[in-house]
Each structure stands twice: as C-alpha cells, then as structure tokens.
Amino acid sequence: MSSVPEPVDRVELLRRLDRFREEFYTCLTRRADALFELTDALLCSGGPVESLVGLSLIAEHRRGHGALYDAVNQGRVNLERLRRAVTAVPVPVAADGRIVLAIDVSSWLRREAHTSPDRLYCHVSGQTRAQDQRIPGWPYSIVAALETGRTSWTAILDAVRLGPADDEMAVACAQLREVIDRLIAAGHWQPGDQPILVVTDSGYDTARLAHDLADLPLQVLGRLRTSRVMRLPAPARTPTTVGRPRHHGPELRLADESTWPSPDHHTCTETRRYGIAQAIAFNRVHPRLTRRSAWITHTGPLPVIEGTLIRLTVDRVPSGQNPKPIWLWCSTPDLNTAQVDLFWQAYLRRFDLEHTFRLLKQTLGWTRPRLRDPNAADTWTWLIIAAHTQLRLARSLAEDLRHPWEKPADTTRTDRLSPARVRRAFRNLRAATIRPAQAPKPTRPGPGRPPGSRNQHRAPHHDVGKTIHRARTQADLQKPGG
C-alpha cells in the first residue's frame, strides 16, 4: 500500500508545488525576497551546506552576502500561516490508513556562544553511557508524520524551540494539540477515521500525554525503560471486603519475569531486517503515578490510566550487537492481536525521524550558521522546514541524477529517490515552478564602524540553563512545617 496517494498527472503535481511556493512567499512578512531566494539557494546547492555565507554564491541567490545575513537576522516569518501551509500538504499514512506522528527533540548545539540567550544544557549521546554529555544549545521539539515501510522520508509538521522557562511535557502536549487541530482543519482526519497514533521515546511520560490529550482522537504509544514497575488491575471488591477501594493491583516488574501474568496476545512475525520478531501483550496495565516530575503540578487525585503493555524481542539487529527487548505502553487498554502487530511496527518507524535529523544537519546545514539571536535561529529553522516540504512535493517529479557509483533508483517504490537525490535534481525542476521573488535593487554597503575605533556596545553574556525553579515536591510538603 502506498503511504502517500500519488497523483498520476504531472501537471497537478507542479501546481501543488507552485501553490506551496506561493503560499510560502506570502508567509514571509519582512525581507521576503531575500528569504525566498535563500531557500531556493538551499535547495539548489550542489552538495552539503558547509556555511551560511556560502549560499550567497549560488546562482539562485541574486543578492550579496550582506543581504543574506540581514534577511536571516532581520527577516520575519508568519509562523502560524506557514504552519498551516505545511500541514495542508498531503501527509503520509500507515498501512491501515491512520496518521502516525512522532515527536522528539533535536538540539542545535552552541558550545561557546556566551552572548546567545535562552541556551539550555542539551543531552548528547555517545557510544557508551560514560560518553554522554550535556552541551549548551537550543533544543527544538519536532513533530513529524511517519510513512510505512523502510524509508528515509518523513513529513515535518512543526518545530518549537524549548526555552529556559518551559516545561518540556507541557510544550509537547500543547504542540501535539495544535498539530492535530491543524490536521483536522486541513481535512486529513475526519470523524470515523482511525485515531491518530503518536509514538514517543522513553524520555516522554506517555501517561501524561494520554491524560492531557484525552479529548483528541489519538492513541499514545511510547517506549518504557526496562527498570519500570507497572501495575495490574485492582482485584474485584467482594461483599466482605472492608476499607477503602484499591486502585492498584499486583506489581508487574519489567525486569522480573516471575511477576508477569499470562499474556493476552502472542505474535510471531518474520522480518527481513530483524529476523523473527515476537511480541507479547498484557491488556489493562497502568503505571502508578506519583506527585513528582510530570505530575508535580497536578491537582486532585492522581488518575489511573490503563493501557496495553507490549514486549518486543527480535533475533538480530543491524549493528550486530546482542538484541535487547523493547517494552512499549499504549494508551488503549484493550488492543487486539492485529493492533499489537501494527503498533510495534509503527514504533520501529519512529527511527526514520533520525534520518530526517541527519538530513537537516549534515546536508541542509540546519546547525551550521553561528547565529546569536534565537529568533534568527527560529527563522532559519523554518526555512529549512519549508525547503524539506518542497522536497517532499518534488519527490515524484525529480529525475534520478545519480552518480556513476550509485545504484539506479527502484521505479517500483514510491520513495525511489532519497531526499538528498531529490534535492540534487531540484535545480532543473525549479525552472518550471513559480518564482515570486523580485530582482534585487542596486545599492552600496554602509560605511560600518570606522577603522581603528573600538566597539562601545559589547553584547551581554547570558547564563546557561533553566531560569525558574520547580515548586516544592510533595515530599517537602509533607515534612513538619512544610
């Protein structure tokens, strides 16, 4: 099944690309011509973007390097309108027709940028846990729609920079709510369709997402740490039972097989990449919530959120290491066998988002510019997203301009060309698209600071990290005098 409905008419595909380019130009409210040509230079550059100023040498950028930096630092983008334009583009769907969203954080590291405000300590993973580091930078929460099958394509729908005063879980909930609202407004989801599936990694509290977004048509699927302890349903209350009703049943320790009940579902699937994949599922399993971390500000009794617990094991992994089991928890408490198979396969597609992050950073040069202002970083980030959206629209139009050492594209696959190879052919495709940017006007550069004079307005230095402190924990409130 094709993950994206592909129109046969090439003219309609060009019209769709033209409509987005015209709407993108309308979203640029200041320095529109320079920002639009900068995005075209980003798309038509022959190789990876090594520096921001290097894009001024591309033929599609008809302005000088001064206008390029002025556009990034002083340009403005109507983000709300651009978000709607990006969401209006057809989004991929899973095998059963549902939309699968992935949310994750990718960091723009700024180690020595002492004059850049709003930097946080970003987690950088190494090959071993001892090599993990915390490096100053700007973290961005990114939401993308996933495709089915092995592919390096995703559809980026939103990006939000996390600030020093932000609660990561609150930002994630608000971001997902806005994305789903825009998907519904664009007609991608209608009443009667399958619920939208949101997949997350172990850094997110899936119970918090399911609780705060319970009014939306979605299901949450997240990975759990192997040290977690879950709870089974509370036993039925008998007429002779006294005392308060129990909310939690026996413990289910993920690392202790003796605490596992009999699974409700057991499936075996043959895969080419992982060998035999076995999944067992336990219905109506819930985490026992505590008043800390994501639930520290919750008022009233803590809820009991039941879901389905899935344990996935495979024969092998591409790295050649010993495969470890993966534990997943879904916010739907009564999945059937077919849904269990569908959901763990949808979670494995979450790793396609890592290919998108690598494309943004290594090919499109997302983190290459050394910008001081975080607002300029937001502008550059959304130019990258607009460029990636144009690549998605051009994937069925681009020719395969392969190098002699590359294999020919597989014409039987919908993702026959990778994003990097579509970008290689975008310059030839650009000639047939709309180009609303006006020609530059001749001018002279300003005089600048006189030679020999000293800078009297030095940029202030900013501290790194959170600027607010959490309220006291529940344990502190229970202390005498708390």
Side-chain angles (χ1 to χ4, degrees):
M1 176 178 178
S2 175
S3 60
V4 180
E6 183 180 355
V8 180
D9 190 2
R10 182 180 176 87
V11 176
E12 178 59 28
L13 291 173
L14 283 172
R15 288 176 180 173
R16 185 179 297 173
L17 178 59
D18 282 343
R19 285 195 297 267
F20 178 80
R21 287 172 62 85
E22 187 173 7
E23 181 66 17
F24 170 56
Y25 181 78
T26 308
C27 297
L28 307 176
T29 57
R30 186 190 297 179
R31 308 292 196 277
D33 295 334
L35 290 176
F36 189 87
E37 289 193 352
L38 175 59
T39 308
D40 274 2
L42 181 67
L43 287 168
C44 298
S45 177
V49 176
E50 300 294 340
S51 64
L52 181 61
V53 69
L55 294 175
S56 64
L57 303 177
I58 305 300
E60 286 72 15
H61 190 272
R62 298 176 293 179
R63 290 159 172 82
H65 63 276
L68 182 147
Y69 278 107
D70 182 69
V72 175
N73 291 309
Q74 305 298 329
R76 293 293 180 269
V77 182
N78 187 343
L79 294 183
E80 293 303 320
R81 184 168 183 174
L82 183 54
R83 284 186 170 102
R84 292 194 298 268
V86 169
T87 310
V89 175
V91 297
V93 295
D96 64 342
R98 74 172 71 228
I99 299 175
V100 181
L101 301 179
I103 182 171
D104 203 355
V105 174
S106 185
S107 300
W108 183 341
L109 302 182
R110 303 289 282 121
R111 292 176 175 85
E112 303 297 333
H114 304 291
T115 59
S116 295
D118 297 345
R119 290 186 303 158
L120 297 175
Y121 286 107
C122 304
H123 179 262
V124 179
S125 300
Q127 295 181 355
T128 62
R129 183 170 296 274
Q131 296 178 350
D132 292 355
Q133 302 179 31
R134 307 287 288 185
I135 298 177
W138 290 318
Y140 279 83
S141 177
I142 297 178
V143 177
L146 305 179
E147 297 191 5
T148 183
R150 294 179 57 186
T151 178
S152 58
W153 286 96
T154 62
I156 304 177
L157 301 179
D158 194 30
V160 174
R161 177 172 49 83
L162 301 176
D166 289 336
D167 180 3
E168 289 80 359
M169 285 302 304
V171 172
C173 292
Q175 186 180 15
L176 287 172
R177 179 177 295 277
E178 293 175 359
V179 168
I180 293 175
D181 288 343
R182 289 195 296 268
L183 288 173
I184 296 175
H188 297 311
W189 187 91
Q190 299 177 358
D193 293 345
Q194 294 282 355
I196 298 174
L197 180 62
V198 178
V199 295
T200 69
D201 205 0
S202 58
Y204 290 86
D205 191 323
T206 51
R208 166 83 180 272
L209 291 176
H211 178 268
D212 291 355
L213 304 177
D215 57 322
L216 296 178
L218 62 80
Q219 296 169 308
V220 181
L221 177 68
R223 184 173 181 174
L224 301 178
R225 299 188 306 271
T226 56
S227 59
R228 287 289 299 269
V229 178
M230 308 296 285
R231 291 293 184 130
L232 298 174
R237 189 178 177 88
T238 62
T240 59
T241 304
V242 297
R244 294 184 303 173
R246 295 182 60 181
H247 299 288
H248 311 287
E251 291 184 347
L252 190 157
R253 298 180 178 272
L254 305 188
D256 187 1
E257 188 173 355
S258 63
T259 62
W260 304 352
S262 299
D264 296 288
H265 308 284
H266 184 277
T267 65
C268 292
T269 306
E270 176 71 26
T271 64
R272 293 183 300 175
R273 189 175 179 85
Y274 304 103
I276 299 295
Q278 300 187 36
I280 59 174
F282 309 93
N283 289 341
R284 299 200 171 276
V285 178
H286 66 272
R288 183 169 183 173
L289 308 179
T290 57
R291 292 191 183 277
R292 60 183 180 182
S293 184
W295 299 91
I296 192 172
T297 58
H298 182 79
T299 58
L302 292 174
V304 175
I305 305 174
E306 291 186 333
T308 300
L309 184 65
I310 303 173
R311 183 179 186 266
L312 174 66
T313 56
V314 297
D315 289 341
R316 61 180 183 270
V317 292
S319 62
Q321 300 178 355
N322 186 25
K324 298 180 180 179
I326 295 178
W327 287 94
L328 306 174
W329 184 84
C330 178
S331 59
T332 302
D334 50 359
L335 294 180
N336 55 41
T337 304
Q339 290 175 325
V340 169
D341 271 341
L342 177 68
F343 279 25
W344 69 256
Q345 294 178 31
Y347 175 79
L348 294 184
R349 297 272 60 83
R350 193 201 69 83
F351 295 101
D352 296 339
L353 193 58
E354 303 298 333
H355 295 287
T356 300
F357 291 158
R358 183 173 59 181
L359 172 77
L360 300 185
K361 294 181 178 181
Q362 297 183 4
T363 304
L364 299 182
W366 174 35
T367 58
R368 287 290 184 177
R370 297 296 180 256
L371 304 176
R372 175 186 298 176
D373 187 5
N375 294 323
D378 294 343
T379 300
W380 173 247
T381 299
W382 276 97
L383 294 185
I384 295 288
I385 295 176
H388 187 266
T389 304
Q390 294 183 59
L391 292 178
R392 287 201 298 119
L393 292 172
R395 60 189 293 185
S396 299
L397 297 169
E399 299 179 0
D400 184 16
L401 303 181
R402 66 184 182 91
H403 294 306
W405 55 86
E406 294 177 337
K407 295 181 179 180
D410 186 359
T411 57
T412 61
R413 297 179 55 178
T414 57
D415 58 339
R416 60 187 183 91
L417 296 180
S418 65
R421 291 173 75 164
V422 172
R423 176 173 175 259
R424 190 184 302 167
F426 194 86
R427 171 171 285 175
N428 298 339
L429 186 61
R430 177 180 177 270
T433 61
I434 186 173
R435 298 183 296 276
Q438 303 295 322
K441 298 178 180 179
T443 183
R444 293 182 178 180
R449 191 169 68 242
S453 62
R454 307 186 68 176
N455 184 12
Q456 302 297 329
H457 304 282
R458 294 186 178 275
H461 287 212
H462 301 273
D463 296 330
V464 183
K466 293 288 187 179
T467 58
I468 62 172
H469 299 282
R470 283 185 177 271
R472 291 180 297 174
T473 63
Q474 186 70 12
D476 295 333
L477 296 177
Q478 293 176 355
K479 293 179 180 178

